[in-house]
Amino acid sequence: MFSRYFPILEWGRTYDRPALTSDLMAAVIVTIMLIPQSLAYAMLAGLPPVVGLYASILPLFAYAVFGTSRTLAVGPVAVVSLMTASAVGAIATPGTAEYWEAAITLAALSGVMLVVLGLLRLGFLANLLSHPVISGFISASGILIATSQLKHILGVKAGGETWPEMLEGLARAIANTNAATLAVGVPATLFLFWVRKGLKPALQRLGLSPRAAEMVAKAGPVAAVAASILAVIGFELEGRGVSVVGAIPQGLPPFALPLTEPGLLQALWVPALLISIIGFVESVSVAQTLAAKRRQRIAPDQELIGLGAANLASAFSGGYPITGGFARSVVNFDAGAQTPAAGAYTAVGIALASLFLTPLLFHLPHATLAATIIVAVLSLVDVKTPRVLWGYSKADFTAHAATIIFTLVAGVEMGVIAGVAVGLMLYLWRASRPHAAIVGRVPGTQHFRNVERHKVLTLPHFLTIRVDESLTYLNARWLEEYVLEQVAERPALRHVVLMASAVNAIDASGLESLEAINHRLVAGGIVLHLSEVKGPVMDRLRRSHFLDDLSGDVFLSQDNAFAELALRTGEIADPPDPLEARGLI
Amino acid sequence: MFSRYFPILEWGRTYDRPALTSDLMAAVIVTIMLIPQSLAYAMLAGLPPVVGLYASILPLFAYAVFGTSRTLAVGPVAVVSLMTASAVGAIATPGTAEYWEAAITLAALSGVMLVVLGLLRLGFLANLLSHPVISGFISASGILIATSQLKHILGVKAGGETWPEMLEGLARAIANTNAATLAVGVPATLFLFWVRKGLKPALQRLGLSPRAAEMVAKAGPVAAVAASILAVIGFELEGRGVSVVGAIPQGLPPFALPLTEPGLLQALWVPALLISIIGFVESVSVAQTLAAKRRQRIAPDQELIGLGAANLASAFSGGYPITGGFARSVVNFDAGAQTPAAGAYTAVGIALASLFLTPLLFHLPHATLAATIIVAVLSLVDVKTPRVLWGYSKADFTAHAATIIFTLVAGVEMGVIAGVAVGLMLYLWRASRPHAAIVGRVPGTQHFRNVERHKVLTLPHFLTIRVDESLTYLNARWLEEYVLEQVAERPALRHVVLMASAVNAIDASGLESLEAINHRLVAGGIVLHLSEVKGPVMDRLRRSHFLDDLSGDVFLSQDNAFAELALRTGEIADPPDPLEARGLI
């Protein structure tokens, strides 16, 4: 029970030397990858780059204690950084102390929400984000992020929250492009693209193993950072208008306290909730994918607590909202991390970097960080999904498209909300119109099939309706309408059988509709029967008055119902061919 | 197509003398019943009583043109009047011109929303209100309304929006009770209760037919109104502190224009939406119940347009939000109304009353109107439902109880919102954890049943999972977890069959989860098969790549799958008893 909330007690007991070696190895590689990423994503969030390092130290320890994934690497990620910029940018100006404090508060709020959701076991709420909505949101975020970084490549000032605003701002600013900045940004971007696509095959041709080639390629951004720092120093590019990171306070993260002003909390709680859920969904899918590869399991509700603790740790050490990142977790996994201790070792690496490396980053151009971000996020843009969804399901395509459009034109928060709302509306719409079929008997068998799809036998005094859905409040009204409509069309009818083989549950509203149908059919001289009611459904019906009031019987099988009622109404249950030929099919 | 939006073109074509006679007869009875009710409900809404008459004239014409129910009687009703008082009371003071204008604006907003919902065919959104939520809301509203009227019976001033506030206000004011008012209010209340329960049997004993007795009993409130006016005049009760209706402007409804201030519209749009949906749900259930009795049909989406037109008509003639009322519709039906023309004749009756009767109402005590309301709404309080729900379904009970509690302590709007939210949360929670079973073969048959409920045959290399739910984004994550957990527990496994006999649909998220399961099982050396996939589901799967990627086969029947795979793995599909005895069950 206790170790459920402290997974470290589980894996810590069997921690041994081989695990230590693997974890240390993985930590070195992830650290190298994480330093430029952390700086870049903090910049994307509108914060001083060093905040990215702060957000990559204590949270990793916290996740190591509370997280259930063996290989998830937490820290600043692109989408959550964008959401932070959007939320905090609405109430403070980037670069000010208020902005940083609001970002810290956002991390604390998000941490508290995640822990509470985890303790209440409400992880299922993340299900509200369907795959098409998530994929649309990530794609659109990728486009937004890449566009937002173009100004750093061009060396201009341009703002904008939404995509049209950003494009407009860039169009107005493009005339002021700074040539020196462009001379850094464009090569850096091209180099990083090549590192991503071309370096690994090249290294393999040189004889490296695929895994080693992969690892070396991941260090590409570090090379870009080093090269551009040298270029800035060597060519004195700062004098030519290249914007650099500048002085970074050297040392460990400061102790910080989130603000508790009611007005601020009120402004931030919705974004904090959205960041929590998006972060959780992203993180859990990465964690699940990696766990499945080694036949391990993660516990989603405990993951909420793990991520919540990591965000609280981020807040109290001057960081901003974080979550599990896809790219770094895959690197961690591929580099052989065995336990969450690898994350703790990574944290030590980042801490060392923030103690000793920050002076070296003075001359790091913003353009290089922007190039890192652009190359990283463009891989998030998924151009195949819309076409696949269009072919498979128009409803899913609609939710996907709505999410993309709202995210681009109305911002990340509205994008998530619109995606959830459209997805839910379409779901409820379908749930309120379930599939039902009039069924008849396949001649010579005990099978009953849809009259519209099969050549089957039906009888004029006797109608069987198969409802292919649980009877819930969402479709209760539909059920009444559907049954009464079918009955109204058949004046000769004397018996109606509801075949419940696909009814997995009947809630109170569904029961009330069944009662209403029963009463109305009785008033019209028609007897209502049920058939093939499932065990748990029958158990529950016995706790109500419905079975006492039901005018007809409950048949164990539809075949029994057909035989028995055909006998009662004086019709032949399995007639010879001539009857079929008379059009009773 | 045209007559779909103008149902009057349908029934108007065959309108004849017998229908005219029936409709006129019904109109007279409904008019007599509607006059005191309209005055009382307007008072409940915080408006001058005459506004209730205004809201009972033009809207009835509008509904006669656009409505699809033959017998629904629209006008002021208790619950919507309470919601109006709550919404408008939050932004204006009862008795002022601003208050009345805001009520008119609320009716206009609600009318526009209803028409738009109808044109977009969004009536299914009303499904979000489950039966337990509606019943809880109506019960709690009845308690709120009855409590709010006690001050008129006591002749004191007391306020309060929520139940605790009202009780506190009454407790503080009770010392100031006006004896004369009490002397009018208490007898009126007792008389009306007796009219409701005891008059009809008494009249029947006197030889009246049950229907005639029912009709006469409905005129009881008119008798109470007349008697109390005479009492006020005769005993000069106004001098003793009995509050009366006073001067009512004589004449037809004024032409009114709703306000269009953005601030006002912003404050009213949420209440307007809730009033629209509650009014629609109440109205449609009454209309459906009555239509079914005569085997008629109503068109819910056109009902939205009908009610919307009626509310717009109310707004433009100085009225407030209205809907179809239960009691008056039943009276209309029982009195023999054949077509919506009966509503138009009722409107003429009310118009005549507002032209000529209003001077007579000068001395009508507020206490009598309050008694009318109390007796009417206490029948809304349903004390049986909570117990029934508790026995049948804890989830439905929870939604019911939450609605009652929130309505009483946080007001009508929060009550509806909380009821919908709790109901939806519980639904989504269940939908995200569907029922699934490991199934095995019932020996000697082709049937496959849950291993936990039946003595069935399973094989160690071969697992069949039956999922009793459509695969949607709400349960996609659950599906992955469930299947992989089952697999992780069975190291000898080589084949997994997903039996899809209860899977009515697979959305894009469900498909993606199936793909993920397939890939992960392949990685673990396990082959995934499907069986009993329904026709429409199979059609859709064929439009994706899933069937190409699927490591195993799609079997038409589970029996085929069992026989074929038992053969492939070298196990016997239908073994002799000894094998069963070895514990393979």
Side-chain angles (χ1 to χ4, degrees), chain A residues 121-132 134 280-281 284-285 288-290 292-293 295 297-298 300-301 388-394 396 420 423-433 435 446-447 453 466 468-470 472-478 480-482 484-485 487-488 490-491 501-502 504 506-513 520-521 523-526 534-537 539-541 543-545, chain B residues 121-132 134 280-281 284-285 288-290 292-293 295 297-298 300-301 388-394 396 420 423-433 435 446-447 453 466 468-470 472-478 480-482 484-485 487-488 490-491 501-502 504 506-513 520-521 523-526 534-537 539-541 543-545:
Chain A
R121 322 223 132 240
L122 290 176
F124 77 94
L125 284 179
N127 291 349
L128 285 173
L129 291 166
S130 66
H131 291 193
I134 297 170
F280 171 65
V281 168
V284 155
S285 27
Q288 262 170 342
T289 308
L290 297 179
K293 284 194 185 182
R295 285 226 187 184
R297 315 256 348 117
I298 63 157
D301 282 320
V388 172
L389 287 176
W390 177 260
Y392 184 72
S393 153
K394 299 290 177 288
D396 280 306
V420 169
L424 199 55
M425 285 262 295
L426 291 168
Y427 177 88
L428 294 175
W429 188 79
R430 276 176 301 186
S432 69
R433 280 167 180 68
H435 184 251
Q446 303 183 355
H447 292 293
R453 286 190 165 241
R466 191 191 70 214
D468 291 346
E469 194 70 67
S470 293
T472 68
Y473 72 103
L474 295 175
N475 57 34
R477 205 183 309 272
W478 164 88
E480 287 179 46
E481 282 170 30
Y482 181 80
L484 296 174
E485 208 163 286
V487 170
R490 294 171 175 78
S501 50
N504 301 307
I506 300 179
D507 74 4
S509 306
L511 181 69
E512 228 171 284
S513 287
R520 291 180 193 170
L521 290 185
I526 297 173
K534 294 193 175 188
V537 175
D539 292 348
R540 181 158 288 207
L541 286 182
R543 306 209 311 252
S544 76
H545 281 287
Chain B
R121 323 224 132 242
L122 290 176
F124 77 93
L125 284 180
N127 291 349
L128 284 174
L129 291 166
S130 66
H131 290 194
I134 297 171
F280 172 64
V281 169
V284 156
S285 28
Q288 262 171 341
T289 307
L290 297 179
K293 286 194 185 182
R295 286 225 187 186
R297 314 256 349 118
I298 62 156
D301 281 321
V388 172
L389 287 175
W390 176 261
Y392 184 71
S393 153
K394 299 290 177 289
D396 280 307
V420 170
L424 199 55
M425 284 264 293
L426 291 168
Y427 177 88
L428 295 174
W429 188 80
R430 276 176 301 187
S432 69
R433 279 166 180 71
H435 184 250
Q446 303 184 356
H447 292 293
R453 285 189 167 243
R466 191 192 69 211
D468 291 345
E469 195 70 67
S470 292
T472 68
Y473 73 103
L474 294 176
N475 58 34
R477 203 184 310 273
W478 164 88
E480 287 179 47
E481 283 171 29
Y482 181 80
L484 296 175
E485 207 163 286
V487 169
R490 294 173 176 77
S501 50
N504 301 306
I506 299 179
D507 75 4
S509 305
L511 181 69
E512 230 171 282
S513 286
R520 292 181 192 169
L521 291 184
I526 297 172
K534 294 193 175 187
V537 175
D539 292 349
R540 181 158 287 207
L541 286 182
R543 307 208 313 250
S544 76
H545 282 287

Side-chain angles (χ1 to χ4, degrees), chain B residues 400-417:
Chain B
H400 183 71
T403 310
I404 292 180
I405 293 168
F406 272 88
T407 305
L408 288 181
V409 306
V412 281
E413 282 162 31
M414 274 308 296
V416 178
I417 292 171

Side-chain angles (χ1 to χ4, degrees), chain B residues 157-431:
Chain B
K157 287 210 186 304
E161 273 284 294
T162 67
W163 205 46
E165 284 169 17
M166 286 178 187
L167 292 181
E168 198 200 326
L170 283 175
R172 248 182 298 146
I174 201 160
N176 307 326
T177 300
N178 178 277
T181 308
L182 206 62
V184 173
V186 171
T189 309
L190 294 176
F191 170 73
L192 288 170
F193 264 118
W194 173 74
V195 162
R196 216 176 175 84
K197 303 279 174 193
L199 179 58
K200 192 182 151 193
L203 289 171
Q204 278 182 264
R205 275 194 300 274
L206 290 176
L208 262 73
S209 76
R211 213 181 112 197
E214 181 83 35
M215 292 298 125
V216 173
K218 292 293 173 196
V222 174
V225 163
S228 53
I229 290 175
L230 293 177
V232 167
I233 299 173
F235 300 107
E236 291 179 346
L237 293 180
E238 284 172 75
R240 303 187 188 190
V242 172
S243 159
V244 298
V245 165
I248 297 178
Q250 205 169 348
L252 290 174
F255 175 74
L257 270 181
L259 303 177
T260 52
E261 291 157 29
L264 186 70
L265 298 183
Q266 214 185 340
L268 289 180
W269 80 265
V270 172
L273 185 64
L274 295 176
I275 286 175
S276 303
I277 291 179
I278 288 282
F280 172 64
V281 169
E282 223 189 317
S283 182
V284 156
S285 28
V286 177
Q288 262 171 341
T289 307
L290 297 179
K293 286 194 185 182
R294 292 198 190 145
R295 286 225 187 186
Q296 297 166 344
R297 314 256 349 118
I298 62 156
D301 281 321
Q302 177 62 26
E303 275 303 283
L304 283 166
I305 298 177
L307 287 177
N311 270 293
L312 285 170
S314 184
F316 284 103
S317 58
Y320 73 105
I322 53 133
T323 191
F326 178 68
R328 77 194 55 173
S329 299
V330 172
V331 171
N332 195 36
F333 181 93
D334 285 344
Q338 294 296 320
T339 74
Y345 307 149
T346 305
V348 172
I350 306 274
L352 292 174
S354 70
L355 274 175
F356 304 111
L357 242 60
T358 46
L360 302 181
L361 299 173
F362 186 98
H363 297 284
L364 174 60
H366 285 126
T368 306
L369 289 179
T372 315
I373 295 175
I374 289 173
V375 174
V377 297
L378 279 184
S379 67
L380 299 178
V381 181
D382 178 354
V383 291
K384 268 193 345 214
T385 295
R387 202 161 32 79
V388 172
L389 287 175
W390 176 261
Y392 184 71
S393 153
K394 299 290 177 289
D396 280 307
F397 174 82
T398 306
H400 183 71
T403 310
I404 292 180
I405 293 168
F406 272 88
T407 305
L408 288 181
V409 306
V412 281
E413 282 162 31
M414 274 308 296
V416 178
I417 292 171
V420 170
V422 171
L424 199 55
M425 284 264 293
L426 291 168
Y427 177 88
L428 295 174
W429 188 80
R430 276 176 301 187

